[in-house]
Amino acid sequence: MSEEHLLESEGYYSLKSAAKKMFEVVTQRLNVQTAYVTMRGKHAMTVLSSLNKEEEIVPEGFTIDYEESHCRLIINDQDHVLRTTNLMDDPLTREMEASAQLEVKGYLGVTLKDLRGNVFGTLCVMDKEEKQFTDEDIEFLQTIAAVLSHMIDLDQTHYNMGLMNVPIIPITEGVSVVPIQGIVDEERADKLMQDVLLYGKEQDIDHFVLDLSGLVVRDQFFSEMLPKLIHALQVMGINTILTGITPEVAHKEIETNVLSPHKPKTVSNLKTALSTIGFQLVERH
């Protein structure tokens, strides 16, 4: 089960648009007041999109601690389903913070996954009145969730396509910065290696500053691609400086120790990186 997503919640445009169009069908078919989609974060569930036919029970942007949410019960259930006639009376949910906040009764939720099978969040419906949800209702909601899975994949694909081009920023003669952002899969890793090495040769680069502040750590990238890139640049006589190292990157290096053999210089920011090679950033007024 993955808690890691390529995009921030604001970026899932296709998912939110498709969900809004489907909520009318879902609420009518299941005869409920509210339908919504959530996204799982590291510690909380966030409502990405919602429809409240009468009063606003679940607003978009609403967040709740994961351990106190009904979504945890859905995701952790063997069948990835939670249904209850009355949240306020059900022994499993009546003491939960979410039940007290929402003050609803009828509730049905299913797990929402991406096309790789990773848990993304949940698709849920609820009502102020008691509801008896059938197995057919569960199957229907799971079918809707399966359709929304394709929207998740579409948004993530668009995001990755936007990152495919390797942004190499020239600072001064012989010095350039390479911001490494997002999740670097095998395809992006190959392109990053190819583009950086080719640019280094063609532009006669002496120093590359690799900015890792936007990197989402994945084992494959950290244990294979990054050390190879640093080593290849060193073989070409190009000095490598790492900056923007996040706590996640630092923690992974402590676990794997894959960068130490290459002894790359690490600094906290671009200004320090440039000063170590004899340049200064000067503000113009």
Side-chain angles (χ1 to χ4, degrees):
M1 180 166 57
S2 173
E3 297 180 11
E4 193 169 54
H5 307 296
L6 299 176
L7 289 162
E8 297 295 331
S9 59
E10 293 80 5
Y12 284 94
Y13 304 112
S14 299
L15 172 61
K16 290 188 281 189
S17 176
K20 279 193 173 297
K21 293 178 180 179
M22 291 182 177
F23 285 157
E24 289 286 353
V25 176
V26 170
T27 54
Q28 183 176 358
R29 165 69 170 76
L30 299 179
N31 189 27
V32 292
Q33 297 180 31
T34 298
Y36 61 95
V37 165
T38 70
M39 173 179 173
R40 181 181 180 183
K42 289 185 177 180
H43 306 293
M45 301 298 299
T46 300
V47 177
L48 292 187
S49 184
S50 65
L51 172 66
N52 298 276
K53 296 177 69 175
E54 297 177 7
E55 63 180 292
E56 189 175 59
I57 300 175
V58 182
E60 293 182 2
F62 175 80
T63 62
I64 189 168
D65 183 85
Y66 178 71
E67 293 300 322
E68 292 297 325
S69 70
H70 302 120
C71 298
R72 174 179 60 83
L73 302 179
I74 300 169
I75 294 169
N76 291 343
D77 181 73
Q78 181 178 357
D79 297 320
H80 291 276
V81 173
L82 174 64
R83 65 172 162 180
T84 178
T85 303
N86 191 334
L87 283 173
M88 310 299 289
D89 287 341
D90 193 314
L92 192 62
T93 59
R94 64 189 178 194
E95 301 298 329
M96 296 182 67
E97 178 183 338
S99 299
Q101 288 187 20
L102 295 172
E103 296 183 345
V104 295
K105 295 180 179 178
Y107 185 97
L108 175 62
V110 299
T111 300
L112 179 60
K113 300 180 180 181
D114 63 24
L115 293 183
R116 294 177 300 278
N118 298 317
V119 172
F120 178 87
T122 60
L123 170 61
C124 307
V125 299
M126 58 176 59
D127 197 88
K128 286 285 188 179
E129 303 299 325
E130 292 188 352
K131 297 289 179 181
Q132 293 282 352
F133 293 106
T134 66
D135 291 343
E136 289 75 17
D137 293 335
I138 293 174
E139 184 177 352
F140 168 76
L141 201 60
Q142 288 174 329
T143 299
I144 299 298
V147 174
L148 294 179
S149 295
H150 289 272
M151 299 301 103
I152 296 170
D153 188 69
L154 179 62
D155 286 326
Q156 292 180 346
T157 298
H158 284 168
Y159 177 75
N160 270 333
M161 288 177 64
L163 294 176
M164 280 300 293
N165 292 328
V166 179
I168 302 177
I169 305 169
I171 299 298
T172 187
E173 184 177 353
V175 181
S176 290
V177 176
V178 182
I180 301 177
Q181 301 176 331
I183 294 173
V184 182
D185 57 17
E186 184 176 358
E187 185 177 5
R188 285 195 66 211
D190 290 342
K191 182 169 177 56
L192 182 63
M193 175 79 78
Q194 178 182 353
D195 288 2
V196 170
L197 297 184
L198 181 61
Y199 183 94
K201 178 179 181 299
E202 291 181 344
Q203 302 299 320
D204 195 22
I205 297 297
D206 299 310
H207 303 275
F208 264 127
V209 179
L210 304 183
D211 180 11
L212 308 183
S213 59
L215 172 66
V216 176
V217 175
R218 284 286 176 90
D219 290 340
Q220 181 180 1
F221 173 82
F222 204 86
S223 62
E224 297 179 10
M225 192 276 159
L226 188 56
K228 286 181 180 178
L229 176 59
I230 294 172
H231 189 203
L233 290 171
Q234 290 175 342
V235 170
M236 293 175 64
I238 300 175
N239 183 43
T240 302
I241 303 175
L242 303 183
T243 188
I245 296 175
T246 63
E248 290 78 14
V249 172
H251 182 70
K252 184 59 67 174
E253 170 59 13
I254 291 174
E255 289 181 347
T256 61
N257 202 39
V258 295
L259 298 180
S260 295
H262 307 292
K263 297 181 173 60
K265 186 172 184 61
T266 61
V267 297
S268 59
N269 52 56
L270 178 59
K271 181 179 180 180
T272 304
L274 294 178
S275 67
T276 63
I277 53 181
F279 294 92
Q280 291 184 340
L281 292 177
V282 179
E283 292 185 6
R284 293 184 179 181
H285 299 283

